Coordinates of all heavy atoms in Angstrom, one line a residue:
M1 N 6.4 -23.5 -22.6 CA 5.8 -23.9 -21.4 C 6.3 -23.2 -20.2 O 5.6 -22.8 -19.3 CB 5.9 -25.4 -21.3 CG 5.2 -26.0 -20.2 SD 3.4 -25.9 -20.5 CE 2.8 -26.9 -19.1
K2 N 7.7 -23.1 -20.1 CA 8.3 -22.5 -18.9 C 7.9 -21.0 -18.8 O 7.7 -20.5 -17.7 CB 9.8 -22.6 -19.0 CG 10.3 -24.0 -18.6 CD 11.8 -24.0 -18.6 CE 12.4 -25.3 -18.2 NZ 13.8 -25.3 -18.0
R3 N 7.8 -20.4 -20.0 CA 7.4 -18.9 -20.0 C 6.0 -18.7 -19.5 O 5.7 -17.8 -18.7 CB 7.6 -18.4 -21.4 CG 7.3 -16.9 -21.5 CD 7.6 -16.4 -22.8 NE 7.5 -14.9 -22.8 CZ 7.3 -14.2 -23.9 NH1 7.2 -14.8 -25.1 NH2 7.2 -12.9 -23.8
T4 N 5.1 -19.6 -19.9 CA 3.7 -19.5 -19.5 C 3.6 -19.7 -18.0 O 2.9 -19.0 -17.3 CB 2.8 -20.5 -20.2 OG1 3.0 -20.4 -21.6 CG2 1.4 -20.4 -19.8
T5 N 4.3 -20.7 -17.4 CA 4.3 -20.9 -16.0 C 4.9 -19.7 -15.2 O 4.3 -19.3 -14.2 CB 5.2 -22.2 -15.7 OG1 4.6 -23.3 -16.5 CG2 5.1 -22.5 -14.2
G6 N 5.9 -19.1 -15.8 CA 6.6 -18.0 -15.1 C 5.6 -16.8 -15.0 O 5.5 -16.1 -14.0
V7 N 4.9 -16.6 -16.2 CA 3.9 -15.5 -16.2 C 2.8 -15.7 -15.2 O 2.3 -14.8 -14.5 CB 3.4 -15.3 -17.7 CG1 2.2 -14.3 -17.7 CG2 4.5 -14.8 -18.6
L8 N 2.3 -17.0 -15.2 CA 1.2 -17.3 -14.3 C 1.6 -17.1 -12.8 O 0.9 -16.5 -12.0 CB 0.8 -18.8 -14.5 CG -0.3 -19.3 -13.7 CD1 -1.6 -18.5 -13.9 CD2 -0.6 -20.8 -13.9
I9 N 2.8 -17.6 -12.5 CA 3.3 -17.4 -11.1 C 3.5 -16.0 -10.7 O 3.1 -15.5 -9.6 CB 4.6 -18.2 -10.9 CG1 4.3 -19.7 -10.9 CG2 5.2 -17.9 -9.5 CD1 5.5 -20.6 -10.9
S10 N 4.0 -15.2 -11.7 CA 4.1 -13.7 -11.4 C 2.8 -13.0 -11.2 O 2.7 -12.2 -10.3 CB 4.9 -13.1 -12.6 OG 6.2 -13.6 -12.7
G11 N 1.8 -13.4 -12.0 CA 0.5 -12.9 -11.9 C -0.1 -13.2 -10.5 O -0.8 -12.4 -9.9
L12 N 0.0 -14.5 -10.1 CA -0.5 -14.9 -8.8 C 0.2 -14.2 -7.7 O -0.5 -13.8 -6.7 CB -0.4 -16.4 -8.7 CG -1.3 -17.3 -9.5 CD1 -0.9 -18.7 -9.4 CD2 -2.8 -17.0 -9.1
A13 N 1.5 -14.0 -7.7 CA 2.2 -13.3 -6.7 C 1.7 -11.9 -6.6 O 1.5 -11.3 -5.5 CB 3.7 -13.4 -6.9
A14 N 1.5 -11.2 -7.7 CA 1.1 -9.8 -7.7 C -0.3 -9.7 -7.1 O -0.6 -8.8 -6.3 CB 1.1 -9.2 -9.1
G15 N -1.2 -10.7 -7.4 CA -2.5 -10.7 -6.9 C -2.5 -10.8 -5.4 O -3.3 -10.2 -4.7
V16 N -1.7 -11.7 -4.9 CA -1.6 -11.9 -3.4 C -1.1 -10.6 -2.7 O -1.7 -10.3 -1.7 CB -0.7 -13.1 -3.1 CG1 -0.3 -13.2 -1.6 CG2 -1.3 -14.4 -3.6
I17 N -0.2 -10.0 -3.3 CA 0.3 -8.7 -2.7 C -0.7 -7.7 -2.7 O -0.9 -7.0 -1.7 CB 1.6 -8.2 -3.5 CG1 2.8 -9.2 -3.2 CG2 1.9 -6.8 -3.1 CD1 4.0 -8.9 -4.1
L18 N -1.5 -7.5 -3.8 CA -2.5 -6.5 -3.9 C -3.7 -6.8 -2.9 O -4.2 -5.9 -2.2 CB -3.1 -6.4 -5.3 CG -2.1 -5.8 -6.3 CD1 -2.7 -5.8 -7.7 CD2 -1.8 -4.3 -5.9
V19 N -4.1 -8.0 -2.8 CA -5.1 -8.4 -1.9 C -4.7 -8.2 -0.4 O -5.5 -7.7 0.4 CB -5.6 -9.9 -2.1 CG1 -6.5 -10.3 -0.9 CG2 -6.2 -10.0 -3.4
G20 N -3.5 -8.4 -0.1 CA -3.0 -8.2 1.3 C -3.0 -6.7 1.7 O -3.0 -6.4 2.8
C21 N -2.9 -5.8 0.7 CA -2.8 -4.4 1.0 C -4.2 -3.7 1.1 O -4.3 -2.6 1.7 CB -2.1 -3.7 -0.1 SG -0.3 -4.2 -0.2
S22 N -5.3 -4.3 0.6 CA -6.5 -3.7 0.7 C -7.2 -3.9 2.1 O -7.1 -5.0 2.6 CB -7.4 -4.2 -0.4 OG -7.7 -5.6 -0.2
P23 N -7.8 -2.8 2.6 CA -8.5 -3.0 3.9 C -9.7 -3.9 3.8 O -10.5 -3.8 2.8 CB -8.9 -1.6 4.3 CG -8.9 -0.8 3.0 CD -8.0 -1.5 2.1
S24 N -9.9 -4.7 4.7 CA -11.1 -5.6 4.7 C -12.2 -4.9 5.4 O -12.1 -4.0 6.2 CB -10.8 -6.9 5.4 OG -10.4 -6.7 6.8
V25 N -13.4 -5.4 5.0 CA -14.6 -4.8 5.6 C -14.8 -5.5 7.0 O -15.1 -6.7 7.0 CB -15.8 -5.0 4.7 CG1 -17.1 -4.5 5.4 CG2 -15.6 -4.3 3.3
Q26 N -14.7 -4.7 8.0 CA -14.8 -5.3 9.4 C -16.0 -4.8 10.1 O -16.2 -5.1 11.3 CB -13.6 -4.8 10.2 CG -12.3 -5.3 9.6 CD -11.1 -4.6 10.4 OE1 -11.2 -4.2 11.5 NE2 -9.9 -4.6 9.7
G27 N -16.9 -4.2 9.4 CA -18.2 -3.7 10.0 C -17.9 -2.7 11.1 O -17.1 -1.8 10.9
G28 N -18.5 -2.9 12.3 CA -18.4 -1.8 13.3 C -17.0 -1.8 13.9 O -16.7 -0.8 14.6
D29 N -16.2 -2.8 13.7 CA -14.8 -2.7 14.2 C -13.8 -2.0 13.3 O -12.6 -1.9 13.6 CB -14.3 -4.2 14.5 CG -15.0 -4.8 15.7 OD1 -15.4 -4.1 16.6 OD2 -15.2 -6.0 15.7
T30 N -14.3 -1.5 12.2 CA -13.5 -0.7 11.3 C -13.0 0.6 12.1 O -13.9 1.3 12.7 CB -14.2 -0.3 10.0 OG1 -14.7 -1.5 9.4 CG2 -13.4 0.5 9.1
S31 N -11.8 0.9 12.0 CA -11.3 2.1 12.6 C -11.7 3.4 11.8 O -11.8 3.2 10.6 CB -9.8 2.1 12.8 OG -9.1 2.2 11.6
C32 N -11.7 4.5 12.5 CA -12.0 5.8 11.7 C -10.9 6.0 10.7 O -11.3 6.5 9.6 CB -12.1 6.9 12.7 SG -13.7 7.1 13.6
E33 N -9.7 5.7 11.0 CA -8.6 5.9 10.0 C -8.9 5.1 8.8 O -8.7 5.7 7.7 CB -7.3 5.5 10.7 CG -6.1 5.7 9.8 CD -4.8 5.3 10.5 OE1 -4.8 4.6 11.4 OE2 -3.8 5.8 10.0
D34 N -9.2 3.8 8.9 CA -9.5 3.0 7.8 C -10.7 3.5 7.0 O -10.8 3.4 5.8 CB -9.6 1.6 8.1 CG -8.3 0.9 8.6 OD1 -7.2 1.5 8.2 OD2 -8.3 -0.1 9.2
F35 N -11.7 3.8 7.8 CA -13.0 4.3 7.2 C -12.8 5.5 6.3 O -13.3 5.5 5.2 CB -14.0 4.6 8.3 CG -15.4 4.8 7.8 CD1 -16.3 3.8 7.4 CD2 -15.9 6.1 7.7 CE1 -17.6 4.0 6.9 CE2 -17.2 6.4 7.2 CZ -18.0 5.3 6.8
I36 N -12.1 6.5 6.9 CA -12.0 7.8 6.1 C -11.1 7.6 4.9 O -11.4 8.2 3.9 CB -11.4 8.8 7.0 CG1 -12.4 9.3 8.1 CG2 -10.9 10.1 6.3 CD1 -11.9 10.2 9.1
S37 N -10.2 6.7 5.0 CA -9.3 6.5 3.8 C -9.9 5.5 2.7 O -9.3 5.4 1.7 CB -7.9 5.9 4.3 OG -8.1 4.6 4.8
S38 N -11.0 5.0 3.0 CA -11.7 4.0 2.1 C -12.6 4.8 1.1 O -13.0 5.9 1.3 CB -12.6 3.0 2.8 OG -11.8 2.3 3.7
D39 N -12.8 4.1 -0.1 CA -13.8 4.7 -1.0 C -15.2 4.6 -0.5 O -15.4 3.9 0.5 CB -13.6 4.1 -2.4 CG -13.8 2.6 -2.5 OD1 -14.5 2.1 -1.6 OD2 -13.4 2.0 -3.4
E40 N -16.1 5.2 -1.2 CA -17.5 5.2 -0.7 C -18.1 3.8 -0.7 O -18.9 3.5 0.2 CB -18.4 6.2 -1.6 CG -19.8 6.3 -1.1 CD -20.6 7.4 -1.9 OE1 -19.9 8.3 -2.5 OE2 -21.8 7.2 -1.9
K41 N -17.8 3.0 -1.7 CA -18.4 1.6 -1.7 C -17.9 0.8 -0.5 O -18.7 0.1 0.2 CB -18.0 0.9 -3.0 CG -18.6 -0.5 -3.1 CD -18.1 -1.3 -4.2 CE -18.7 -2.7 -4.3 NZ -18.8 -3.4 -3.1
T42 N -16.6 0.9 -0.2 CA -16.1 0.2 1.0 C -16.7 0.7 2.3 O -17.0 0.0 3.2 CB -14.5 0.3 1.0 OG1 -14.0 -0.2 -0.2 CG2 -14.0 -0.5 2.2
Q43 N -16.9 2.1 2.4 CA -17.5 2.7 3.5 C -19.0 2.1 3.7 O -19.4 1.8 4.7 CB -17.6 4.2 3.4 CG -16.2 4.8 3.6 CD -16.3 6.3 3.3 OE1 -17.2 6.9 2.9 NE2 -15.2 7.0 3.6
N44 N -19.7 2.1 2.5 CA -21.1 1.6 2.6 C -21.1 0.1 3.0 O -22.0 -0.3 3.8 CB -21.7 1.8 1.2 CG -22.2 3.2 1.0 OD1 -22.4 4.0 1.9 ND2 -22.4 3.5 -0.3
D45 N -20.1 -0.7 2.5 CA -20.1 -2.1 2.9 C -19.8 -2.2 4.4 O -20.4 -3.1 5.1 CB -19.0 -2.8 2.1 CG -19.3 -2.9 0.6 OD1 -20.5 -2.7 0.2 OD2 -18.4 -3.3 -0.2
A46 N -18.9 -1.4 4.9 CA -18.6 -1.5 6.4 C -19.8 -1.1 7.2 O -20.2 -1.8 8.2 CB -17.4 -0.6 6.7
V47 N -20.5 -0.1 6.8 CA -21.7 0.4 7.5 C -22.8 -0.7 7.4 O -23.5 -1.0 8.4 CB -22.2 1.8 7.0 CG1 -23.6 2.1 7.6 CG2 -21.2 2.8 7.4
A48 N -23.0 -1.2 6.2 CA -24.1 -2.2 6.0 C -23.8 -3.4 6.9 O -24.7 -4.0 7.5 CB -24.1 -2.6 4.6
K49 N -22.5 -3.9 7.0 CA -22.2 -5.0 7.8 C -22.4 -4.7 9.3 O -23.0 -5.5 10.0 CB -20.8 -5.4 7.6 CG -20.3 -6.7 8.4 CD -18.9 -7.1 8.1 CE -18.5 -8.4 8.8 NZ -19.1 -8.8 10.0
M50 N -22.0 -3.5 9.7 CA -22.3 -3.1 11.1 C -23.7 -3.1 11.5 O -24.2 -3.7 12.5 CB -21.7 -1.7 11.3 CG -22.0 -1.1 12.7 SD -21.4 0.6 13.0 CE -22.5 1.5 12.0
L51 N -24.6 -2.5 10.6 CA -26.0 -2.5 10.8 C -26.6 -3.9 10.8 O -27.5 -4.2 11.7 CB -26.7 -1.5 9.8 CG -26.3 -0.1 9.9 CD1 -26.9 0.7 8.7 CD2 -26.8 0.5 11.2
K52 N -26.2 -4.7 9.9 CA -26.7 -6.1 9.8 C -26.3 -6.9 11.1 O -27.1 -7.6 11.6 CB -26.3 -6.8 8.6 CG -26.9 -8.2 8.5 CD -26.5 -8.8 7.2 CE -27.2 -10.2 7.1 NZ -27.0 -10.8 5.8
D53 N -25.1 -6.7 11.6 CA -24.6 -7.4 12.8 C -25.5 -6.9 14.0 O -25.8 -7.7 14.9 CB -23.1 -7.1 13.0 CG -22.2 -7.8 12.0 OD1 -22.7 -8.7 11.3 OD2 -21.0 -7.4 12.0
E54 N -25.8 -5.6 14.0 CA -26.6 -5.1 15.2 C -28.0 -5.5 15.1 O -28.6 -5.8 16.2 CB -26.5 -3.5 15.2 CG -25.2 -3.0 15.6 CD -25.1 -1.5 15.5 OE1 -26.1 -0.8 15.0 OE2 -24.1 -0.9 15.8
K55 N -28.6 -5.5 14.0 CA -30.1 -5.7 13.9 C -30.5 -7.1 13.4 O -31.6 -7.5 13.5 CB -30.7 -4.7 13.0 CG -30.5 -3.2 13.6 CD -31.2 -2.2 12.7 CE -30.9 -0.8 13.3 NZ -31.5 0.2 12.5
G56 N -29.5 -7.8 12.7 CA -29.8 -9.1 12.2 C -30.5 -9.2 10.9 O -30.8 -10.2 10.3
T57 N -30.8 -8.0 10.3 CA -31.5 -7.9 9.0 C -30.7 -7.0 8.1 O -29.9 -6.1 8.6 CB -32.9 -7.4 9.1 OG1 -32.9 -6.1 9.7 CG2 -33.8 -8.4 9.9
D58 N -30.8 -7.1 6.8 CA -30.2 -6.2 5.9 C -30.8 -4.8 5.9 O -32.0 -4.7 5.9 CB -30.3 -6.7 4.4 CG -29.5 -8.0 4.2 OD1 -28.4 -8.1 4.8 OD2 -29.9 -8.8 3.4
P59 N -29.9 -3.8 6.1 CA -30.5 -2.4 6.2 C -30.9 -1.9 4.8 O -30.4 -2.3 3.8 CB -29.3 -1.7 6.8 CG -28.1 -2.4 6.3 CD -28.5 -3.9 6.3
A60 N -31.8 -0.9 4.9 CA -32.2 -0.2 3.6 C -31.1 0.7 3.2 O -30.3 1.1 4.0 CB -33.5 0.6 3.9
Q61 N -31.0 1.0 1.9 CA -30.0 1.8 1.4 C -30.0 3.2 2.0 O -29.0 3.8 2.3 CB -30.1 2.0 -0.2 CG -29.0 2.8 -0.8 CD -27.6 2.1 -0.6 OE1 -27.5 0.9 -0.7 NE2 -26.6 2.9 -0.2
L62 N -31.2 3.8 2.3 CA -31.3 5.1 2.9 C -30.6 5.0 4.3 O -30.0 6.0 4.7 CB -32.7 5.5 3.0 CG -33.0 6.9 3.6 CD1 -32.3 7.9 2.7 CD2 -34.5 7.1 3.7
E63 N -30.9 3.9 5.1 CA -30.2 3.8 6.4 C -28.7 3.7 6.3 O -28.0 4.3 7.1 CB -30.8 2.6 7.1 CG -30.3 2.4 8.5 CD -30.9 1.2 9.2 OE1 -31.5 0.3 8.5 OE2 -30.7 1.1 10.4
I64 N -28.2 3.0 5.3 CA -26.8 2.9 5.1 C -26.2 4.3 4.8 O -25.2 4.6 5.4 CB -26.5 1.9 3.9 CG1 -26.9 0.5 4.3 CG2 -25.0 1.9 3.6 CD1 -26.8 -0.5 3.2
T65 N -26.8 5.0 3.9 CA -26.3 6.3 3.5 C -26.3 7.3 4.7 O -25.3 8.0 4.9 CB -27.1 6.9 2.3 OG1 -27.0 6.0 1.2 CG2 -26.6 8.2 1.9
G66 N -27.4 7.3 5.4 CA -27.5 8.2 6.6 C -26.5 7.9 7.6 O -25.9 8.7 8.3
T67 N -26.3 6.6 7.9 CA -25.4 6.1 8.9 C -23.9 6.4 8.5 O -23.1 6.8 9.3 CB -25.5 4.6 9.2 OG1 -26.9 4.4 9.6 CG2 -24.6 4.2 10.3
R68 N -23.7 6.3 7.2 CA -22.3 6.5 6.7 C -22.0 8.0 6.9 O -20.9 8.3 7.3 CB -22.2 6.2 5.2 CG -20.8 6.4 4.6 CD -20.7 6.0 3.2 NE -21.6 6.8 2.3 CZ -21.3 8.0 1.9 NH1 -20.3 8.7 2.3 NH2 -22.2 8.7 1.1
V69 N -22.9 8.9 6.6 CA -22.7 10.3 6.8 C -22.4 10.6 8.3 O -21.6 11.4 8.7 CB -23.9 11.2 6.3 CG1 -23.8 12.6 6.7 CG2 -23.9 11.1 4.8
S70 N -23.2 10.0 9.2 CA -23.1 10.1 10.6 C -21.7 9.7 11.1 O -21.0 10.3 11.9 CB -24.2 9.4 11.3 OG -24.0 9.5 12.7
V71 N -21.3 8.5 10.6 CA -20.0 7.9 11.0 C -18.9 8.8 10.5 O -17.9 9.1 11.2 CB -19.8 6.5 10.4 CG1 -18.4 6.0 10.5 CG2 -20.8 5.6 11.1
M72 N -19.0 9.3 9.2 CA -18.0 10.2 8.7 C -17.8 11.5 9.5 O -16.7 11.9 9.8 CB -18.3 10.6 7.2 CG -17.3 11.5 6.5 SD -15.7 10.7 6.3 CE -16.0 9.6 4.9
T73 N -18.9 12.1 9.9 CA -18.9 13.3 10.7 C -18.3 13.0 12.1 O -17.4 13.7 12.5 CB -20.4 13.8 10.9 OG1 -20.9 14.1 9.7 CG2 -20.4 15.0 11.8
F74 N -18.6 11.9 12.7 CA -18.0 11.4 14.0 C -16.5 11.3 13.8 O -15.8 11.8 14.6 CB -18.7 10.1 14.4 CG -17.9 9.5 15.6 CD1 -18.1 9.9 16.9 CD2 -17.1 8.4 15.4 CE1 -17.4 9.4 17.9 CE2 -16.4 7.8 16.4 CZ -16.5 8.3 17.7
C75 N -16.1 10.6 12.8 CA -14.7 10.3 12.6 C -13.9 11.6 12.4 O -12.7 11.7 12.7 CB -14.4 9.3 11.5 SG -14.9 7.6 11.9
Q76 N -14.5 12.6 11.7 CA -13.8 13.8 11.4 C -13.9 14.9 12.6 O -13.2 15.9 12.5 CB -14.4 14.5 10.1 CG -14.1 13.6 8.9 CD -14.7 14.2 7.7 OE1 -15.7 14.9 7.7 NE2 -14.2 13.8 6.5
T77 N -14.7 14.6 13.6 CA -14.8 15.6 14.7 C -14.4 15.0 16.0 O -13.3 15.1 16.4 CB -16.3 16.2 14.7 OG1 -17.2 15.1 14.9 CG2 -16.6 17.0 13.5
A78 N -15.3 14.3 16.6 CA -15.1 13.8 18.0 C -14.3 12.5 18.0 O -13.6 12.2 19.0 CB -16.5 13.5 18.6
G79 N -14.3 11.7 17.0 CA -13.6 10.4 17.0 C -12.1 10.6 16.8 O -11.6 11.6 16.2
K80 N -11.4 9.6 17.2 CA -9.9 9.6 17.0 C -9.6 8.5 15.9 O -10.5 7.8 15.5 CB -9.3 9.1 18.3 CG -9.4 10.1 19.5 CD -8.7 9.5 20.7 CE -8.8 10.5 21.9 NZ -10.1 10.7 22.4
Q81 N -8.4 8.5 15.4 CA -8.1 7.6 14.3 C -8.4 6.2 14.7 O -8.8 5.4 13.9 CB -6.6 7.8 13.9 CG -6.3 9.0 13.1 CD -4.9 9.1 12.6 OE1 -4.1 8.3 13.0 NE2 -4.7 10.0 11.7
E82 N -8.1 5.8 16.0 CA -8.3 4.4 16.4 C -9.7 4.1 16.9 O -10.1 3.0 17.2 CB -7.3 4.0 17.5 CG -7.4 4.8 18.8 CD -6.7 6.2 18.8 OE1 -6.1 6.5 17.8 OE2 -6.8 6.8 19.8
S83 N -10.6 5.1 16.9 CA -12.0 4.9 17.3 C -12.7 4.0 16.3 O -12.3 3.9 15.1 CB -12.8 6.2 17.3 OG -12.3 7.1 18.2
K84 N -13.6 3.1 16.8 CA -14.3 2.2 15.9 C -15.6 2.9 15.4 O -16.2 3.7 16.1 CB -14.7 0.9 16.7 CG -13.5 0.2 17.3 CD -12.5 -0.3 16.3 CE -11.4 -1.0 16.9 NZ -10.3 -1.2 16.0
I85 N -16.0 2.6 14.2 CA -17.2 3.3 13.7 C -18.5 2.9 14.4 O -19.4 3.7 14.4 CB -17.3 3.0 12.1 CG1 -17.6 1.5 11.8 CG2 -16.1 3.5 11.4 CD1 -18.0 1.3 10.4
K86 N -18.5 1.8 15.1 CA -19.7 1.5 15.9 C -19.9 2.4 17.1 O -20.9 2.5 17.7 CB -19.6 0.0 16.4 CG -18.5 -0.3 17.4 CD -18.5 -1.8 17.7 CE -17.3 -2.1 18.6 NZ -17.1 -3.6 18.7
E87 N -18.8 3.2 17.4 CA -18.9 4.2 18.5 C -19.7 5.5 18.0 O -20.1 6.3 18.9 CB -17.6 4.6 19.0 CG -16.8 3.4 19.6 CD -15.3 3.8 19.9 OE1 -15.0 5.0 20.0 OE2 -14.5 2.9 19.9
A88 N -19.9 5.6 16.7 CA -20.5 6.8 16.2 C -22.0 6.7 16.5 O -22.6 5.7 16.5 CB -20.3 6.9 14.7
P89 N -22.6 7.9 16.8 CA -24.1 7.9 17.1 C -24.9 7.5 15.8 O -24.6 8.1 14.8 CB -24.4 9.3 17.6 CG -23.2 10.1 17.3 CD -22.0 9.2 17.0
H90 N -25.7 6.6 15.9 CA -26.5 6.2 14.8 C -27.8 5.5 15.3 O -27.9 5.1 16.4 CB -25.8 5.3 13.8 CG -25.3 4.0 14.4 ND1 -24.2 3.9 15.2 CD2 -25.8 2.7 14.3 CE1 -24.0 2.7 15.5 NE2 -25.0 1.9 15.1
L91 N -28.8 5.4 14.4 CA -30.1 4.8 14.8 C -30.0 3.3 14.8 O -29.3 2.6 14.2 CB -31.2 5.2 13.8 CG -31.5 6.7 13.8 CD1 -32.5 7.0 12.8 CD2 -32.0 7.2 15.2

């Protein structure tokens, strides 16, 4: 019984540590630094949240993809690491 409890507690502790390290989806307030270092799914989630916050409706996948490319270009050229992705030009 003690061994099972120890394994369970160790697993929960590891889970808490891993969750604390992952960047959260902040929508338009995501920094360029976090955006560029994220995988494509996380980038799409951030862009989708930003667009939904701006327009009030769920964006189409084509709009998410186009905006993600625009944000990536902005962050790699004119944007700074601390720039927010909502500052990128998009429709």
Side-chain angles (χ1 to χ4, degrees):
M1 184 70 172
K2 285 185 177 185
R3 184 174 185 201
T4 305
T5 305
V7 170
L8 180 62
I9 291 173
S10 296
L12 288 173
V16 167
I17 290 170
L18 290 175
V19 168
C21 294
S22 63
S24 62
V25 176
Q26 301 174 21
D29 290 330
T30 303
S31 70
C32 279
E33 180 179 23
D34 289 342
F35 187 80
I36 290 173
S37 66
S38 298
D39 61 19
E40 186 174 334
K41 182 190 179 319
T42 305
Q43 290 176 349
N44 283 339
D45 291 346
V47 168
K49 183 175 182 339
M50 175 183 73
L51 293 171
K52 184 173 184 176
D53 290 347
E54 288 176 355
K55 297 181 180 182
T57 59
D58 288 326
Q61 186 60 45
L62 183 61
E63 183 178 14
I64 293 170
T65 302
T67 303
R68 183 179 59 78
V69 171
S70 176
V71 169
M72 183 65 77
T73 302
F74 168 77
C75 287
Q76 292 176 338
T77 57
K80 297 178 174 66
Q81 287 187 350
E82 64 275 359
S83 296
K84 304 298 182 193
I85 64 170
K86 65 184 172 190
E87 297 171 22
H90 60 280
L91 298 175

